[in-house]
Amino acid sequence: MGAIHIHGGIPLQGQVMIQGSKNAALPILAASILTKGSNLFSGCPRIADVEQMQMLLRSLGCVVRWEGDKMRVDAHRVCSGSMPREAVTGMRSSLTLLGAMLGRCGQIFLEQPGGCVIGSRPINLHIDALEKMNVKFARGDSILYACTEGLKGAEIHLACPSVGATENIILAAVLADGCTVIHNAAAEPEIVALCAYLNVCGAHIEGAGTACIRIEGVKELTGSAFEIPADRIVAGTYLFACLAAGGSVFLERAPVKEMKAVLEVARALGAGLQCTGTGLYVQAPNTVKSVPCVRTAVYPGFPTDLQSPLLAVLAGGMGKSIVEERIFEDRFRVVPELLRMGAKIRVEEDKTAYVEGQECLRGARVTAGELRGGAALVVAGLGASGETIVEGKKYIDRGYENICRDLRELGARIYSV
Ligand code: UD1
């Protein structure tokens, strides 16, 4: 298993380009199978999860290839074949193929999708909503079979604004018979991007980015060119990396409008920030201040995906802070690893972390157990004294194109082995 070596304590300096968004790219790639045509995606991140999605699309009959830095997906011919098990079980986003395949072929066999081990991650909301749209489900030990004799528009009230469920309903609704309305829909920027892409292809979707999304089914979608937006979570990770290590950086293409809650927290920690038309300047404070309490929340709140990197910054800062996790119960799995680096963090009921900043963490050998926790260990290592070795690089590769290259561009001494 690959590892990342970091010589910490070197302030960051310079600029880096923020990659395309993983959580936007994956459902959009899944959505491309709804089009009977050819699609060209620019800004698609070259990450392990995108490779897995490429494999899945190929197994369903799509022709997928890179053309320079753009990805072409030709979905003229799609069949509901069997998909490679590892690609489905290794990645949560394979679940978006459920709505997309029901729209295109009327059926799908799916292994239980995997993804980061950050909580129980049920799929009841997806199933309940699709059943309302005339989908029948059969479940084996680890296999889910779904089929429909024709998708029908429906009025759907989500018990909570699940990102994945909102995506699946939209994907099933665009070619359904009639109108679908989703109440209490997720309003994340990745939903807005998915709907923008589908509308370019000929779908009729209104209200993306609000709690009520209305989808009028159409007969067919055509292939299109589309640019995947920049990744707000990667931008936030590098922002926190700068706060942990010190220095000043420019994050080119950082989607600042989607990062309001993160920027607010960074300012409270003492960061000097300047948003320009092309990105974000970050000036780290000499010592990171504490924050009374940060709670993760659905968009536009503070994203759960940046909770672990924030924890790493606070642990190496000053004073006492509280971090509350409201979305996924297992997001504090990174805490024992941070403790090895000298952090003082106490977690209560998997919901609240009490952090006592140590001003500087110390390098150690630590292990990533999932994607964002792994990124947090890199952030911690950049601010720590001495050498940090982060094992489990494969988890970080799921969402970061090349975290070592990006951080080296900012002057960090970091390399992978
Ligand atoms: C997506 C993102 C993930 C992000 C999360 C929240 C992708 C690939 N992943 O995950 O990075 O952290 O949104 O912003 O885009 N829930 C249920 N029943 C369901 C579905 C969800 O109870 O059927 C609960 C979950 O357990 C969780 C909450 O709803 O507590 C939010 O989950 P959801 O928004 O669905 O997250 P994902 O789509 O899995």
Side-chain angles (χ1 to χ4, degrees), residues 22-23 26-27 92-93 118 120-126 160-165 167 188 190 232 304-305 326-329 331 372:
K22 160 180 155 322
N23 288 352
L26 294 170
R92 175 74 175 182
S93 285
I118 51 175
S120 58
R121 306 192 87 169
I123 59 169
N124 56 312
L125 299 176
H126 303 240
C160 75
S162 155
V163 175
E167 288 168 349
E188 265 67 2
E190 294 75 24
R232 63 193 173 104
T304 173
D305 296 62
R326 300 267 196 85
I327 312 285
F328 290 114
E329 65 270 25
R331 280 275 193 211
R372 305 301 174 189

